[in-house]
Amino acid sequence: MKKVTEILCSAVAVMLIAGAAFGQGRGQGRFGGGGPFGGGLGLLRIEKVQQELKMTQPQIEKIDAKQQELRAANQGVDFQNMSQEERQKFFAKIQEAQSKAVADILDSTQIKRFHQLELQQQGAGAFNRKEVADQLKLTDEQKKKIQAIQQGLQSERQGLMQGVDFQNMTPEERQKLGAKMQELQKTSNEKLEAVLTDDQKKAWKEMLGTKFDFPPPQRRQP
């Protein structure tokens, strides 16, 4: 039961914090932009991101097909009954598949900017990604501190979600919960960035590139 609660809290947090921007895409289905089968392709669905990357219409039309491929490849996955290690491997597999799908759509110039936008959206939560940790040259001690901060965030999310009937929430209640989730994420990001040295902070800033203003959340059309 604890595993299921952790999964639901993480999923709801994603929907409330990041999923709103992803939700502007079309034909997303249950695991739309914010779910485990969304990710990078969900980011590409945002019209403002498409404009920033100067995507062509043929490129935009490839998004749906690529997402359907990923869903088909992971159909029937018993996510709820996975062990923590199995979930980590599953997410790593999804991340790799997402990266390949995005690379199949974008050219080299677009890919570079896309990675910057992806990191900007994920914030300091991206520090647990291997390629980010390697590029920042995080020490084992820093990785332990980062893991502890992220575990603390997960516990706070669970406390915030305790007893919440998400399906029957009003838009106003959902907005308030989302604001609280965002505040938790902001505080966590500040703690995570404080773990970095001055040189690592400089490298992280370079990895983010020019600041991009993501569009405000919009309700998904029925």
Side-chain angles (χ1 to χ4, degrees):
M1 185 65 184
K2 183 179 178 182
K3 290 181 181 179
V4 175
T5 302
E6 291 175 354
I7 294 167
L8 291 176
C9 285
S10 296
V12 171
V14 168
M15 286 189 288
L16 290 171
I17 296 172
F22 286 144
Q24 297 177 58
R26 62 189 184 281
Q28 292 180 342
R30 181 175 176 81
F31 290 109
F37 308 137
L41 291 176
L43 185 58
L44 287 186
R45 289 183 178 280
I46 302 174
E47 184 177 356
K48 192 174 178 181
V49 170
Q50 295 171 359
Q51 294 169 352
E52 175 72 9
L53 298 177
K54 297 180 175 61
M55 293 179 65
T56 65
Q57 188 58 36
Q59 286 179 315
I60 294 172
E61 291 172 354
K62 288 181 180 180
I63 298 174
D64 280 343
K66 288 293 182 181
Q67 195 158 43
Q68 288 171 7
E69 286 178 14
L70 292 183
R71 284 177 176 152
N74 291 281
Q75 228 170 14
V77 173
D78 188 7
F79 183 72
Q80 289 189 346
N81 292 317
M82 287 182 177
S83 66
Q84 181 63 27
E85 183 179 358
E86 288 172 335
R87 286 201 299 272
Q88 289 176 345
K89 289 181 179 179
F90 175 72
F91 278 125
K93 175 186 174 183
I94 292 295
Q95 181 68 44
E96 183 179 355
Q98 285 281 343
S99 297
K100 185 178 184 305
V102 170
D104 287 343
I105 295 174
L106 304 179
D107 62 33
S108 57
T109 301
Q110 291 169 321
I111 280 288
K112 180 179 179 180
R113 182 57 175 157
F114 170 82
H115 286 320
Q116 293 175 343
L117 299 184
E118 192 176 38
L119 291 179
Q120 286 187 36
Q121 189 180 65
Q122 292 176 359
F127 290 171
N128 62 355
R129 290 175 53 174
K130 185 179 185 303
E131 66 273 21
V132 174
D134 289 345
Q135 196 164 342
L136 291 175
K137 299 178 181 178
L138 296 177
T139 65
D140 289 341
E141 183 63 27
Q142 285 177 313
K143 290 177 182 178
K144 289 179 182 178
K145 289 181 180 179
I146 288 169
Q147 184 179 25
I149 292 170
Q150 291 175 334
Q151 288 175 342
L153 172 63
Q154 180 67 23
S155 296
E156 289 185 275
R157 282 176 176 170
Q158 289 177 8
L160 200 58
M161 292 297 300
Q162 191 70 34
V164 173
D165 184 4
F166 185 73
Q167 289 186 340
N168 294 316
M169 291 176 75
T170 65
E172 291 75 17
E173 290 172 334
R174 192 172 289 116
Q175 186 175 17
K176 287 181 181 179
L177 181 58
K180 290 179 181 179
M181 286 285 190
Q182 286 180 325
E183 186 58 34
L184 283 180
Q185 188 68 56
K186 179 182 177 182
T187 301
S188 176
N189 285 346
E190 290 171 352
K191 291 178 181 178
L192 289 167
E193 290 185 8
V195 173
L196 303 182
T197 65
D198 289 343
D199 286 343
Q200 288 171 327
K201 289 177 182 177
K202 182 179 178 181
W204 173 239
K205 187 176 180 180
E206 292 174 353
M207 290 168 66
L208 295 176
T210 305
K211 187 178 184 300
F212 178 75
D213 293 321
F214 287 93
Q218 293 183 3
R219 293 182 64 184
R220 184 181 301 178
Q221 297 298 318

